[in-house]
Amino acid sequence: MNHLSNASTTTKDPPSISGSTEICAIIGDPIAHTLSPAVHNAAFRSLKMDLVYVPFRVRRNELGMAIEGFRSIGVIGINVTMPHKSRVLRFLDRIDDTAREIGAVNTVARKSTRLHGYNTDGKAAVTALSHLGSLSGRKALILGAGGAAKAIAYQLSETADSIVILNRTRSNGARLASKITKWNGIPSHSYVLSGTNLRREARRGNLLINTLPAHVFPRFGEILIEEKIAEGDMLVMDANYELKNDFLTEARNSGAKAIDGLEMLIEQASLSFKLWTGVDAPIDVMRKAAAEARAIR
Ligand code: NDP
């Protein structure tokens, strides 16, 4: 498939759409906040590809119809975000082993007429974190047990020494902890998300990953700041990418290495890009576009 366009453009130009332009999409609800269109369209333009990336708000009960619509119009790739990552599996033709284990798909790629589902969130998070330091033998603490936590835990279980899960709903945390041990045989425990459990478990770990939503995390972030948890050789990541994050700022000021979720988003976008186009993503272009789009939203 030839995705190259003859148009002369810069990464800032609006997409040039012709009769031959092919479509990639992102679906979720809500979707207006997404940075992914800025990231992918900048990448397509920089490589002069005749592709455009469009966000679609798809309500929970319309997911099947949306996927069939994309199938019939020949969309070449779809990113899937909340709340569809788990339910979308039933509408696809083939699920990659990683996505099946995690039980969630964040990337769909069309292969001929079939739709294949993948999960690139875990690999993206681990790649982003490994820029901070080695993950080998780390005692990890993950806040949350939803789609992002599962994907990250799956990938991290290959190198970490142990993984503890703190989650609001006890059964969801317990299910993830037992899966982690099944995946790679490492010890994993779960506890209810509470200040007491957070204080105790955060002190025992040296890798802390937050996957609680951005409006939930700050009250737990405050506890971590009060306790001076993030210091020394601690690595920290918040999967969210709000511009203001007091905990990450404090962690960096105290000597820990800390990142927000922007780099995870970029790594995830670059893996999707490769699955759809077969071409290595221009990751620096994507990084710049993501930072610019975040700054103005
Ligand atoms: P899910 O809905 O799958 O999981 C949400 C998690 O947060 C669950 O563990 C849930 O606990 C917990 N939670 C939700 N509300 C509350 C609350 N009020 N109090 C305590 N816990 C709560 O979402 P995802 O895992 O897909 O996403 C989580 C976050 O990570 C989102 O903010 C998302 O934007 C971000 N993310 C970032 C990515 C990136 O590329 N940077 C990629 C993917 C996600 P319970 O089990 O009790 O429901």
Side-chain angles (χ1 to χ4, degrees):
M1 200 181 320
N2 178 10
H3 297 301
L4 292 182
S5 141
N6 293 324
S8 163
T9 57
T10 74
T11 58
K12 294 271 188 196
D13 290 335
S16 154
I17 296 176
S18 70
S20 62
T21 304
E22 297 209 75
I23 298 173
C24 294
I26 180 165
I27 57 171
D29 186 16
I31 198 63
H33 64 286
T34 179
L35 302 180
S36 295
V39 171
H40 282 284
N41 285 320
F44 294 151
R45 285 192 295 268
S46 82
L47 296 184
K48 298 191 174 9
M49 296 178 120
D50 194 8
L51 286 162
V52 66
Y53 184 104
V54 190
F56 292 94
R57 180 179 176 200
V58 173
R59 291 173 180 80
R60 206 179 272 270
N61 61 354
E62 291 169 345
L63 178 60
M65 276 192 300
I67 296 295
E68 286 317 300
F70 288 139
R71 189 196 292 279
S72 68
I73 61 174
V75 162
I76 70 155
I78 310 166
N79 278 140
V80 183
T81 187
M82 287 195 297
H84 303 309
K85 285 183 179 181
S86 301
R87 260 193 89 230
V88 76
L89 272 74
R90 72 188 72 170
F91 301 111
L92 305 177
D93 303 307
R94 193 182 149 260
I95 311 295
D96 153 79
D97 289 345
T98 302
R100 188 169 295 289
E101 281 300 328
I102 295 164
V105 158
N106 75 332
T107 305
V108 177
R110 192 186 77 201
K111 307 276 174 195
S112 178
T113 58
R114 291 164 65 81
L115 297 180
H116 292 198
Y118 303 86
N119 194 308
T120 61
D121 280 338
K123 199 166 181 191
V126 164
T127 304
L129 271 165
S130 62
H131 295 151
L132 301 183
S134 169
L135 304 181
S136 178
R138 294 260 168 195
K139 293 184 193 320
L141 172 62
I142 300 180
L143 309 187
K150 281 183 211 153
I152 295 170
Y154 179 79
Q155 210 66 40
L156 204 56
S157 68
E158 289 182 1
T159 47
D161 192 54
S162 61
I163 301 179
V164 170
I165 307 293
L166 293 187
N167 195 50
R168 173 179 64 176
T169 306
R170 185 189 294 270
S171 56
N172 293 344
R175 207 170 303 125
L176 176 54
S178 72
K179 274 189 164 192
I180 291 169
T181 301
K182 186 183 129 234
W183 287 328
N184 272 305
I186 62 167
S188 183
H189 301 283
S190 72
Y191 305 96
V192 168
L193 179 67
S194 70
T196 308
N197 289 339
L198 178 59
R199 287 184 180 89
R200 184 190 66 241
E201 295 303 323
R203 276 203 204 94
R204 291 181 181 162
N206 54 9
L207 170 59
L208 174 66
I209 298 168
N210 173 55
T211 72
L212 302 174
H215 69 281
V216 176
F217 177 62
R219 71 173 186 267
F220 297 100
E222 274 172 28
I223 294 175
L224 295 166
I225 292 172
E226 277 163 26
E227 296 289 316
K228 296 197 175 301
I229 295 293
E231 289 184 324
D233 79 333
M234 182 86 139
L235 303 186
V236 178
M237 186 176 86
D238 186 346
N240 299 296
Y241 39 80
E242 309 303 304
L243 271 173
K244 180 172 156 28
N245 190 320
D246 292 342
F247 171 61
L248 292 183
T249 305
E250 189 65 27
R252 286 188 198 109
N253 289 343
S254 306
K257 293 198 172 128
I259 47 168
D260 64 25
L262 200 65
E263 196 60 23
M264 175 180 170
L265 176 89
I266 293 156
E267 293 289 348
Q268 170 273 118
S270 107
L271 292 166
S272 295
F273 186 98
K274 178 88 190 215
L275 283 167
W276 297 333
T277 65
V279 174
D280 285 338
I283 198 153
D284 290 338
V285 170
M286 290 177 145
R287 195 172 277 124
K288 184 163 176 282
E292 286 172 358
R294 174 171 68 169
I296 58 169
R297 78 175 180 170

